[in-house]
Amino acid sequence: MEDLSKSSIRFFSDQQLCYADILSPREVRARIEVSVINFLKILNSPEPAISDLPLINRRSSNSRVCQGLLTDVSWIFLSHSFCTRSLTNANAAKAFVRVWKVMKMCFEILAQEKRVTQRELFYKLICDSPEYFTSQLQVNRTIQDVVALLRCSRYSLGIMAASRGLVAGRLLLQEPNHEAVDCSACGSSGYAISGDLNILEKLVMRTDARYIIVVEKHAVFQRLAEDHVFNQIPSILITAKGYPDIATRFLLHRLTRTFPDLPILALVDWNPAGLAILCTFKFGSLGMGLEAYRYACNVKWLGLRGGDVQLIPQQSFVPLKQRDLQIARSLMSLDLLPENYREELALMIQSGQRAEIEALYVHGYDHLGKYIAKKIVQTNYI
């Protein structure tokens, strides 16, 4: 799957697409050293000047949509449009310094052959440079700046994904030199997905499932796992407990590469946030900048859908909030949003209401498995 994706990129009409490379520690350290050398050359020139740091622009206006010719997967990319961090601009001066601080820290991490989470990096930075780092958000944005400057993935920088994800069902996972884990025997808690992408890449996976079911909510995942729905519907269940983290998306992408014939079906709330979660799995996240495309998967929207609202009692609906409307507007602005998704969003907005998956429990706590089975038949995924 990955080879097909890469080869199809060459046929895209927009040849100015930019993305982050996955590099070895040695290669990343070399890029950092080159950045430092170039900066010092400027300072030592006859007319020294503090140059701007040319970063790939991560605004939505710089995003591009690519349809693969050899696959069904679409991606969000960024083009070669630049923004800057500069010491000469008062508003950007601290951001300029933060980039160098994070690069220095990453260089040391890679030299020590270590990996850290973004949270660990934050605590290290606020101790070393409290005048520049006061929040996790500043660290997260600076990491993206470093990715945009060096054009390598955050994992290549030695920054490990903190994972919230779980997997359950008909899947055997085996790390090198470890015993295999049967995800169908992990109970309602499921198997915790590692945040170490290197471990996830090396997993040996076996399955007799016919579907992969992505579940938006942890509580719903637990209900399905406890009811052993994966035995009634031969499937692998996976959840990120809301908006997907990198590790969960990485594992889902690995599953699609290993088992390319398994359809991926998403079970999300009928509201703009549920659709946004589905789209993050399906197209990538602009918030991930240059890494957005790497984890895109061909996810199908199983439910809840507009046609399911008749199954839900009126008292179970909740009015849309302002945040819901903001998410809806953001989704509507995406060029890659399929027309049937737009119609669903328009229906949500027109009704002014939202419905959660748990509303189906009015028909009994075991109804959700029956609902999924029926939807699979109706949508011709068998």
Side-chain angles (χ1 to χ4, degrees):
M1 173 68 77
E2 190 168 55
D3 291 339
L4 284 175
S5 300
K6 287 180 178 178
S7 54
S8 64
I9 289 172
R10 301 190 185 98
F11 292 93
F12 293 151
S13 59
D14 185 349
Q15 296 298 311
Q16 296 300 312
L17 300 174
C18 188
Y19 52 90
D21 298 318
I22 294 179
L23 303 175
S24 69
R26 181 179 59 82
E27 291 172 311
V28 177
R29 289 172 62 194
R31 289 194 182 188
I32 294 174
E33 289 169 345
V34 167
S35 298
V36 172
I37 290 170
N38 288 338
F39 182 65
L40 293 176
K41 280 182 177 178
I42 292 170
L43 292 181
N44 289 325
S45 63
E47 297 181 1
I50 301 296
S51 67
D52 296 336
L53 290 175
L55 312 180
I56 297 297
N57 187 349
R58 302 194 303 277
R59 293 183 179 274
S60 58
S61 58
N62 190 39
S63 65
R64 300 290 184 271
V65 178
C66 291
Q67 305 282 345
L69 295 181
L70 303 180
T71 73
D72 293 328
V73 183
S74 300
W75 299 274
I76 295 175
F77 275 86
L78 297 176
S79 71
H80 285 263
S81 172
F82 291 92
C83 64
T84 60
R85 298 286 182 267
S86 173
L87 274 177
T88 60
N89 184 324
N91 293 328
K94 281 197 171 183
F96 180 96
V97 176
R98 287 187 197 115
V99 172
W100 291 105
K101 294 282 187 181
V102 169
M103 275 203 293
K104 173 179 177 291
M105 200 71 70
C106 290
F107 190 91
E108 293 172 355
I109 291 166
L110 294 172
Q112 296 170 21
E113 299 183 344
K114 301 283 188 183
R115 294 201 179 274
V116 301
T117 65
Q118 291 188 172
R119 192 64 176 168
E120 290 171 324
L121 189 61
F122 164 66
Y123 280 112
K124 180 66 173 171
L125 288 165
I126 62 170
C127 291
D128 288 1
S129 307
E131 67 275 28
Y132 292 105
F133 295 95
T134 59
S135 71
Q136 181 71 60
L137 183 60
Q138 288 176 341
V139 174
N140 296 351
R141 286 176 174 170
T142 307
I143 291 170
Q144 285 287 15
D145 281 350
V146 174
V147 169
L149 178 67
L150 301 179
R151 301 191 200 179
C152 65
S153 71
R154 74 187 80 187
Y155 187 74
S156 300
L157 291 168
I159 300 170
M160 188 170 62
S163 175
R164 302 185 306 274
L166 302 170
V167 63
R170 302 170 80 101
L171 179 67
L172 292 177
L173 297 175
Q174 186 171 17
E175 296 179 28
N177 304 317
H178 287 74
E179 291 186 3
V181 175
D182 182 355
C183 294
S184 68
C186 292
S188 61
S189 298
Y191 176 77
I193 298 170
S194 170
D196 189 332
L197 304 191
N198 191 45
I199 290 176
L200 297 182
E201 182 63 43
K202 292 178 180 178
L203 283 174
V204 176
M205 303 189 288
R206 297 189 294 277
T207 187
D208 62 352
R210 296 176 62 189
Y211 312 97
I212 300 171
I213 302 177
V214 176
V215 184
E216 173 186 348
K217 302 166 87 169
H218 183 207
V220 176
F221 172 91
Q222 287 182 308
R223 167 55 55 200
L224 295 174
E226 184 175 313
D227 292 347
H228 292 88
V229 166
F230 45 77
N231 289 333
Q232 305 163 31
I233 306 165
S235 57
I236 299 166
L237 306 177
I238 189 167
T239 184
K241 303 179 185 177
Y243 278 92
D245 55 89
I246 296 174
T248 303
R249 290 173 58 189
F250 185 92
L251 180 62
L252 182 63
H253 193 264
R254 264 231 62 201
L255 286 168
T256 65
R257 284 157 45 200
T258 307
F259 312 113
D261 295 329
L262 293 186
I264 309 171
L265 315 176
L267 183 64
V268 298
D269 288 339
W270 191 68
N271 61 27
L275 181 54
I277 288 168
L278 185 157
C279 288
T280 301
F281 278 112
K282 186 176 181 69
F283 304 119
S285 164
L286 188 59
M288 283 185 64
L290 282 73
E291 300 177 87
Y293 82 98
R294 196 174 295 282
Y295 312 106
C297 299
N298 189 22
V299 181
K300 308 292 186 182
W301 190 0
L302 185 69
L304 294 174
R305 303 293 293 267
D308 302 323
V309 297
Q310 60 186 341
L311 303 173
I312 299 171
Q314 186 59 42
Q315 56 267 34
S316 295
F317 287 91
V318 178
L320 289 177
K321 298 179 180 179
Q322 188 61 37
R323 176 61 178 160
D324 294 313
L325 298 176
Q326 291 173 350
I327 294 172
R329 286 193 291 269
S330 178
L331 288 171
M332 284 291 197
S333 69
L334 295 177
D335 293 335
L336 51 64
L337 197 69
E339 187 58 36
N340 60 329
Y341 287 19
R342 294 182 185 276
E343 292 171 359
E344 291 273 0
L345 270 175
L347 182 59
M348 293 176 198
I349 296 169
Q350 182 181 2
S351 70
Q353 296 178 314
R354 50 184 287 174
E356 299 188 354
I357 301 165
E358 292 93 330
L360 294 174
Y361 292 159
V362 69
H363 304 289
Y365 289 110
D366 62 344
H367 180 74
L368 200 50
K370 299 173 185 176
Y371 165 83
I372 293 172
K374 185 177 180 181
K375 290 288 289 187
I376 287 174
V377 172
Q378 288 177 342
T379 47
N380 298 316
Y381 292 122
I382 59 173

